[in-house]
Amino acid sequence: MAIGVYPGSFDPFTCGHMDILKCAAGLLDTVVVAVLQNTGKTPLFSVEERVALIEDAVRAEGLKNVRHDCFGGLLVDYARNVNAKYIVRGLRAVMDFEYEFQIGIMNNKLAPDVETLYFMANPEHMHISASIVKEVGALGGSIDGLVPEVNKSSIIERLKNR
Ligand code: PNS
């Protein structure tokens, strides 16, 4: 079984994340989308809410081999706990490379048995990031096509009441 973990903050999960997830789900037997329990930031959505939004988006896409979860601690420890041999990450433009290069090497040093797979974002979604979605949405701009349709109203509602 080729199991991959797709980790991230996903605050919120975007159409760019969905592109990467679909690519990984097409290649691997199972992909676990794992939301980082990051206590250091003030997120838009709680970890549980983010997991629920991802669950809705995955169901709407009909992805049968995708699971969802949250994790704390080291990513490679979590990957080993769920028997994942792969970590899935997306690359948008050059700006992502340095950061991904750094965490990729670190994870490889910590766990040489866990391989990181990088997927290129669809050019149509290369400009999307969770922070751009929050900024545009909070200022009243349209987030159509930036986040999964099924999550849109929850995100707009939360940004309004923030
Ligand atoms: O979506 P993000 O915020 O870019 O995801 C970052 C993430 C979750 C992949 C990274 O912060 C992470 O793996 N955190 C867990 C802690 C860890 O394992 N750190 C060592 C690798 S640098």
Side-chain angles (χ1 to χ4, degrees), residues 7-10 17 34 36 41 71 73-76 89 99-100 102-103 106-107 110:
S9 306
F10 303 124
H17 294 133
L36 176 69
K41 290 186 195 165
F71 78 102
L74 282 180
L75 172 60
V76 290
R89 293 293 287 170
Y99 173 62
E100 293 300 333
Q102 198 180 15
I103 64 171
M106 194 62 242
N107 284 332
L110 292 167

Side-chain angles (χ1 to χ4, degrees), residues 22 25 53 75 95 117 146 159:
K22 282 191 202 165
L53 288 170
L75 172 60
M95 63 173 178
L117 301 176
L146 302 184
L159 286 167

Side-chain angles (χ1 to χ4, degrees), residues 56-92:
D56 289 345
V58 166
R59 192 182 310 113
E61 286 291 336
L63 300 174
K64 300 274 181 258
N65 58 339
V66 173
R67 294 193 280 122
H68 38 81
D69 197 5
C70 54
F71 78 102
L74 282 180
L75 172 60
V76 290
D77 289 341
Y78 174 77
R80 282 172 168 160
N81 282 342
V82 295
N83 292 318
K85 285 269 169 284
Y86 305 99
I87 291 169
V88 171
R89 293 293 287 170
L91 289 175
R92 283 163 305 180

Side-chain angles (χ1 to χ4, degrees), residues 129-147:
S129 68
S131 18
I132 286 276
V133 167
K134 285 183 274 197
E135 183 166 335
V136 170
L139 296 172
S142 165
I143 57 167
D144 285 4
L146 302 184
V147 296

Side-chain angles (χ1 to χ4, degrees), residues 1-53:
M1 275 282 271
I3 302 175
V5 172
Y6 182 22
S9 306
F10 303 124
D11 186 40
F13 193 77
T14 68
C15 289
H17 294 133
M18 183 55 86
D19 273 347
I20 304 300
L21 179 59
K22 282 191 202 165
C23 291
L27 193 74
L28 301 171
D29 294 312
T30 302
V31 181
V32 185
V33 185
V35 178
L36 176 69
Q37 289 166 334
N38 188 346
T39 48
K41 290 186 195 165
T42 312
L44 183 62
F45 290 101
S46 70
V47 171
E48 295 72 23
E49 287 171 328
R50 281 179 263 163
V51 171
L53 288 170

